[in-house]
Amino acid sequence: MPGLSGEQRAAPDARTPEGFLLYSIKESMHAYAANVYTTVVEELMRVKHRRFIVVEQEFFRLWWETVAGDLQKEQVHQLVQDGRLEFIIGGQVMHDEAVTAVDDQILQLTEGHGFLYETFGVRPRFSWHVDPFGASATSPTLFAMSGFDAHLISRIDYDSKARMQDSKKLQFVWRGSRSLAGTQEIFTHVMDQFSYCTPSSLPFSSRSGFYWNGVVLFPDPPKDGVYPNMSLPVTGDSIQQYAETMVKNIKMRAAWFRSNDVLWPWGCDKQFFNSSVQFQNMDLLLEYINSHAEFGVAVQYSTLRDYFTGVHERNMTWEVRGGQDFLPYSSDVYQAWTGFFASRNVLKGASRRASSLLYAGESAYTQYLVKHPSGAVCRMWALEQLQALRWAVSEVQHHDGITGTESPKVGDMYMAHLHQGMTGVRKLMEAIVLDQFSSEKNGHSEGHVNITVYNPLAWDVTTYVTVALNFSVSAVHDEFGRLVPAQIENSTEPGHAFDLYVLVTLHGVSYRRYSLEIDSARSGKKAVAAGRPVKFDRQPSSSAQNVKPRLIPVMNDCYILWIDQNTNLLHSITDRERNSTVQATQEFLEYHANGDTGAGPISDNYMFSASGSAVPAAKSVELEIVMGKLVTEVRQYFYRDVTDEGHVYAMFSRLYHAPEGYDKTLLCRHIEQQYRVGPLELNREAVVRTRTDLQTNKIIYTDNNAYQMQMRVFKAYDSNKVARNYYPMVRTSYIEDEQMRLIILAERSHGVSSQDSGEIEIMLHRRLWNNMEWDLNYNLTLNDTSVVRPTTWLMMGSKEATGSLYQRFGLFLEHRPLVMFTPLTGNGKAENKVGDVPIILPPNLHLQILSIPGWRYSSNHTEHMHNLHRGKRPGDADFHRVLLRIQHLYETDEDPVLSKPATVNIKSLLKGLGTVLLVNERSLTGTWDLSTMERWKWKSSRSKSKDQRKRMKTIEDFMITVKPKEIRTLFVYFQS
């Protein structure tokens, strides 16, 4: 209860430990994480007024499934029911907010929430996003959609936090999405300068403060229970000094907030592995403070619900914050946490490829099972393959995962889990194809290789798929025996001789099959076009002054790339639709990082600190142009020196051509660029910079988590302005002037900046070593010797033309058709085709997920809670409930047509799967029936839009309307 007038009510908030940075999950479970939950449950059961919050579900789920006994499980159920143990956030991990994609954030939240609801019937209502390095405006929007009542963050720019702290503005109502505005706003609390850990110093002792169980030991816990650096015990001699220290800190914090309720977090990373000694000491301290009125403070154990309830009940009016984010994050002038935007590029790429494969596997299996419930593919085995990849993709979204800030062995663990999960889902998809398309009469024929191509997006697509081969191909036919346009050329990838480009036209969420005829001496005239390479002499990368450019045009129907033979570099790009040319050059550069802490600020796997301007990485460039009827490729190889034999950098730019009669929109409107970077020299940070003559005033637009765009105005800091003007680019960034826009789309996350007008540079790779003791002790020096191969799509044109396309093009790049080699060709009959009635959404709507989650809980909350209270544990996986999520891609004012709401008939949309019987609208992660979800209302300085929940009704007519930036989540049931 709130304290008396004039008092501060402090709420010590015990919490679960951090993991993943230095040690693998297995190591962390053994050394401390299992002990956290075992001892905390024991101590909470011992004394009723104690409280504890659990944040991330990965460790808790592992403890629950592999360590906890029946009695402990019963005790947890009781503690949760009593509110003494509270799950907050509830996701599989505390996801990073800078370099994660919105679909993956939703996935990991859904994974954790599904487990909690299934097991305990609880639905998290509060977030605890204290550790991500910066705060995105996407997270509060997603948490609001999930039914959260309040949001808590910590790491924001140090100077912003200081201003907010001094003016008592660390709490506000955040409308993270400018299109959704008040319908998805959320009360947000920013932790003060002490962040999420108990103050670590004691004025009367050389030991750390309030960490009575000491520092965790790896690899094994000590048998005697004595850990290093255990805090001075609370005794008759020390209790007064402890109380004075705690009260002084509480009152200091109280001055920074408007409410007399003070959140005083107790704990830090890797704490409470011996919670007995923790609670016993704190019990004495709380009792002592509360029994001495002269302190003027009342203290109690609390959960986050207790704290926010106290603030909410004061019914205060709060300022409103719009859709701007808190990125990038700097903890000091020379500590800009912008390096992790590009750290471990290989892991960033693997994470997104795994996510893309999971997305395809989910919809492929959903179609298969709904249409063929008695098919040959074992449903439990199939669910296990999907669950393994869901777990792996969820896990790597951690703020010391996809960020690339973990130790090498933890990075290897992430890669291994992703690889294992992807292998399983590939096997599942191959099994589905084999069961659906195999034919005894028309199997594998000699001299042919067969592929099946799957389009996971709910739009029709005409594009090229690339097949890497070690043999040549003379013809490609579709399942009806018709010739298909294709082109073959020598591969640039090691391990393969040829790249075969096959032109495919695929309906939404559907398959096509193709037969590749192996080239042989007996083959007659080839039906496959051949790319013809034309090589040019190596040239210095900088042209002499006043030398007239010698330009070569490379074109398709939409663009002309002008290559200057004097340098072998790009000179300009012409938009053929508008007959407008933009001067554009591209080159690789490197920032030279300082690795000596005694010589100034360093770059590490978290931070970027440029010691000077980026310098060109190459002195000469080799050029090869592969001319083809279907694909024209510009191959540029960059050499450090004029006489070097090997290149460290390469860029492959492809222009695609659409034959007459094919839809050319997707093929024509982008320039595909694949980079090859590495191994780098030590202490180098590699960027690719595109310079144009656009008048942009250094303004760049970058995306929040591939969900919404943010305008970034260049800030003229006195120091470290290069690094502090870097931003995360998850999928999209662009620059523009009054006439033209230049967009770059990416299939993995990077750092991006505009250091000068008309410029956009992307940080692709980093290799760093420094002598910081922390980094050396834990092998965190990012000595990354890998070769990275990211791909981007470049688009140029008017704001109107590019604005209507880039959202879908980003998804086309990320979710390209999946190619599977299949041993049998199938018989080509329509009744043997999966997805013969395609799933097609309007161009402004995205099929965010089509899945059979396999949850074991009842969709009826009353029934589910009744089952749990009777002690009936969840039964078999539910294979009848289909999870469908649809997202509107556009902002309210982005496009005159595509920004309008779109209405979809779910029954018609999914008629190819079967007859839809029931559609039930849910919260974002599925655990709430939306008609029953009520979130707290917070008074704000602006009038609030009409509560979104009140307009939701049972979808009896199967029609849903999706408004700009909405994400609608549905449970769909089909007739058996």
Side-chain angles (χ1 to χ4, degrees), residues 477-482 511-515 825 827-828 833:
H477 295 89
D478 66 12
E479 62 267 72
F480 302 106
R482 297 174 300 203
Y511 298 85
R512 292 289 303 273
R513 289 165 290 148
Y514 300 91
S515 175
T825 63
N827 58 20
K833 294 176 66 178

Side-chain angles (χ1 to χ4, degrees), residues 588-605:
F588 293 104
L589 300 100
E590 293 174 343
Y591 289 98
H592 290 205
N594 168 43
D596 182 0
T597 57
I602 61 164
S603 282
D604 64 11
N605 51 5

Side-chain angles (χ1 to χ4, degrees), residues 146-216:
S146 301
F148 285 28
D149 291 317
H151 177 45
L152 187 147
I153 63 176
S154 182
R155 294 185 189 264
I156 67 172
D157 231 28
Y158 72 97
D159 46 5
S160 296
K161 178 174 283 194
R163 288 193 299 270
M164 296 168 72
Q165 191 169 278
D166 291 344
S167 58
K168 294 191 175 186
K169 293 185 177 181
L170 290 170
Q171 294 171 315
F172 49 87
V173 171
W174 197 355
R175 295 180 175 177
S177 165
R178 63 184 178 88
S179 291
L180 297 175
T183 63
Q184 295 296 354
E185 67 186 19
I186 194 166
F187 179 78
T188 302
H189 173 106
V190 183
M191 301 291 276
D192 57 47
Q193 68 187 43
F194 292 100
S195 192
Y196 62 89
C197 292
T198 312
S200 58
S201 61
L202 293 172
F204 54 91
S205 171
S206 59
R207 303 191 203 178
S208 61
F210 307 95
Y211 304 141
W212 292 287
N213 57 196
V215 177
V216 68

Side-chain angles (χ1 to χ4, degrees), residues 783-830:
N783 191 3
D784 186 348
T785 59
S786 63
V787 177
V788 303
R789 296 173 172 83
T791 298
T792 63
W793 282 5
L794 188 150
M795 300 172 63
M796 193 189 78
S798 67
K799 296 179 187 179
E800 296 75 24
T802 56
S804 66
L805 296 175
Y806 79 89
Q807 297 276 19
R808 282 188 298 148
F809 274 43
L811 288 162
F812 282 131
L813 170 59
E814 190 168 325
H815 298 291
R816 283 171 284 191
L818 185 69
V819 178
M820 293 166 281
F821 287 92
T822 48
L824 303 171
T825 63
N827 58 20
K829 294 181 181 178

Side-chain angles (χ1 to χ4, degrees), residues 458-650:
W459 303 306
D460 291 346
V461 58
T462 298
T463 189
Y464 286 98
V465 295
T466 309
V467 186
L469 301 170
N470 283 317
F471 53 84
S472 186
V473 170
S474 58
V476 179
H477 295 89
D478 66 12
E479 62 267 72
F480 302 106
R482 297 174 300 203
L483 272 175
V484 175
Q487 178 176 314
I488 196 165
E489 58 190 51
N490 292 334
S491 179
T492 60
E493 288 297 316
H496 295 102
F498 302 101
D499 288 332
L500 176 69
Y501 295 92
V502 180
L503 182 60
V504 296
T505 298
L506 301 159
H507 290 307
V509 199
S510 67
Y511 298 85
R512 292 289 303 273
R513 289 165 290 148
Y514 300 91
S515 175
L516 316 181
E517 186 176 322
I518 299 174
D519 196 7
S520 69
R522 295 194 303 271
S523 299
K525 184 179 178 183
K526 290 187 180 180
V528 170
R532 295 177 292 101
V534 179
K535 293 191 175 183
F536 297 81
D537 293 337
R538 195 192 296 190
Q539 298 291 342
S541 56
S542 56
S543 179
Q545 288 186 345
N546 302 321
V547 174
K548 185 177 181 180
R550 296 184 296 139
L551 301 181
I552 311 169
V554 179
M555 69 182 75
N556 66 2
D557 288 343
C558 294
Y559 298 111
I560 305 175
L561 301 183
W562 297 96
I563 310 296
D564 185 356
Q565 290 185 75
N566 294 325
T567 60
N568 287 340
L569 294 174
L570 180 67
H571 174 274
S572 52
I573 305 172
T574 298
D575 173 13
R576 298 186 69 182
E577 183 181 22
R578 300 184 66 186
N579 193 27
S580 178
T581 298
V582 171
Q583 301 295 310
T585 61
Q586 290 183 306
E587 63 176 329
F588 293 104
L589 300 100
E590 293 174 343
Y591 289 98
H592 290 205
N594 168 43
D596 182 0
T597 57
I602 61 164
S603 282
D604 64 11
N605 51 5
Y606 294 94
M607 288 177 285
F608 171 40
S609 182
S611 55
S613 299
V615 298
K619 290 185 178 178
S620 63
V621 182
E622 194 172 275
L623 175 66
E624 180 181 13
I625 300 178
V626 180
M627 309 297 294
K629 285 177 59 179
L630 305 178
V631 185
T632 301
E633 184 173 71
V634 179
R635 299 176 176 178
Q636 295 163 297
Y637 302 92
F638 296 76
Y639 295 83
R640 290 199 182 279
D641 213 320
V642 177
T643 58
D644 280 1
E645 291 294 322
H647 59 273
V648 178
Y649 293 88

